[in-house]
Amino acid sequence: MLSSRMALRRLQRIAVAPLSFTSGATTKVLRDMSTLPRVYVTRQIPPEGLKILQDSGQVQFELWDSDDVPVPRKELLQKVKGVDGLLCVLTEKIDAELLDAAGSNLKVVSTMSVGFDHLSLEELKKSRGIRVGYTPEVLTDAVAELTVALLLATSRRLIEATHEAKTGGWGTWRTLWLCGYELANSTVGILGLGRIGVAIAERLAPFKVKKFIYTDVAPRPELAKAINAEYVTLDELAKQSDFLSICCALTPETKEICNKNLFSKMKNTSIFINTSSHIRGGVVNQEDLYEALSTGQIAGAGLDVTVPEPLPTTHPLFTLKNCVILPHIASASYSTRNAMSALAANNLLLGLRSQPMIKELKL
């Protein structure tokens, strides 16, 4: 498993080396930058990825030099014309319009993301000969850590408490004021058991969790063994979980699977957490979640992913004290984001050399 700092060090070591030639003529041509493959980078990605591209000597690249504002669509369509490679992030829609604008030279799309719902897979599957790289696994540690942080902030009502302290609500000591729910002796449920789900459970185990349960499309005994988790039905997952962490992929079957039916089966003391960087918020019916939270059907929710993103500040979920919403920052650690950019850069260079990528999306 590629993960965090170890992943970054490994990716730095295996960064694609500059091509070497014995032919003086070939070397002379290679040094002429105009002959190198053209690449467009749609964002000011973290420095490790840019360094790999610069030091490789294999490409000439141009980038949208901002990390705050995505490249305007009109400019993106102009910049991709004739490029051999594209390194993008999840804010860019890679669809038929863009692929047609790029033209027949485009051979590699490398996305700095684990999710790929911004890529039109049907268009990429067509006879364009385009390969796709992506960046799974390296963000497992960061997402797991953020999940624990969000779970604790939600269950122990830390955002509420901070607000009360700042705004004068902190008065005399009260017996039940701002009381929350403990992990000790609790049952933690995981919807969709994969690398991230296992990593979350491993971090929660020292809090003296009594039992881990999970559901998936089928039992996953090898992964479950690592955390001593029990496979249960979705109904039982909802009924038994004191804390429910959502880690499943977004598919037609899981779209809005977290809905009124699921929330109605949960305990009124349960905490619902969704931090999966792969799925965004699509597995949750947010109107049903609002109803469950506002009526006390469940105790609280912590969300790092929503629909849409960003979630409008006027959305009803923002009015609830028992709902903590973060701006999709699960993978936001320096080591993880640098590892993602390094992996994306290596995928791009390897793809342009017609070699196996480190992580390639099989179309």
Side-chain angles (χ1 to χ4, degrees), residues 114-343:
V114 61
F116 42 82
D117 56 329
H118 58 300
L119 308 180
S120 178
L121 300 185
E122 289 304 314
E123 288 296 325
L124 289 162
K125 285 177 184 176
K126 291 180 179 178
S127 56
R128 298 178 186 266
I130 299 172
R131 296 169 63 191
V132 178
Y134 69 134
T135 59
E137 300 184 16
V138 294
L139 44 64
T140 299
D141 284 345
V143 174
E145 289 178 7
L146 192 279
T147 301
V148 174
L150 181 56
L151 186 153
L152 290 170
T154 304
S155 64
R156 296 303 300 272
R157 303 171 65 179
L158 300 189
I159 307 304
E160 285 183 75
T162 299
H163 176 76
E164 292 295 321
K166 285 182 177 180
T167 58
W170 185 3
T172 184
W173 185 85
R174 284 162 273 175
T175 58
L176 292 176
W177 186 53
L178 290 174
C179 283
Y181 299 94
E182 298 178 15
L183 277 160
N185 298 310
S186 69
T187 295
V188 173
I190 299 170
L191 178 54
L193 186 64
R195 290 183 301 271
I196 291 176
V198 169
I200 291 168
E202 288 173 340
R203 285 158 174 77
L204 292 178
F207 286 88
K208 299 181 181 178
V209 169
K210 179 176 66 177
K211 181 169 67 171
F212 290 104
I213 57 177
Y214 77 99
T215 195
D216 211 316
V217 292
R220 308 192 69 178
E222 291 187 7
L223 287 172
K225 184 179 179 181
I227 56 172
N228 195 28
E230 176 189 348
Y231 178 79
V232 297
T233 65
L234 182 61
D235 280 357
E236 283 301 313
L237 188 79
K239 292 175 183 177
Q240 294 186 37
S241 296
D242 296 301
F243 299 88
L244 179 55
S245 180
I246 309 305
C247 303
C248 62
L250 178 60
T251 66
E253 293 72 30
T254 62
K255 182 175 173 59
E256 296 192 352
I257 193 173
C258 300
N259 54 27
K260 181 179 293 188
N261 182 52
L262 180 134
F263 297 132
S264 69
K265 294 179 172 64
M266 293 175 68
K267 305 172 186 178
N268 61 10
T269 56
S270 294
I271 302 295
F272 178 86
I273 302 292
N274 187 10
T275 56
S276 177
S277 59
H278 178 67
I279 62 168
R280 315 273 183 102
V283 299
V284 180
N285 182 309
Q286 291 176 170
E287 288 70 29
D288 290 353
L289 176 61
Y290 172 82
E291 182 179 350
L293 290 167
S294 60
T295 61
Q297 177 64 54
I298 62 174
L303 309 174
D304 186 52
V305 284
T306 61
V307 177
E309 291 187 359
L311 191 66
T313 56
T314 55
H315 195 283
L317 285 172
F318 279 121
T319 67
L320 301 175
K321 290 183 178 181
N322 58 344
C323 187
V324 178
I325 301 174
L326 302 179
H328 199 156
I329 59 168
S331 66
S333 74
Y334 290 110
S335 57
T336 291
R337 292 287 173 84
N338 269 298
M340 291 172 70
S341 71
L343 179 52

Side-chain angles (χ1 to χ4, degrees), residues 108-109 131-134 347-348 350-351 355-360:
V108 179
V109 172
R131 296 169 63 191
V132 178
Y134 69 134
N347 282 338
L348 178 77
L350 287 165
Q355 294 179 347
M357 295 182 186
I358 301 169
K359 291 295 176 182
E360 183 168 358

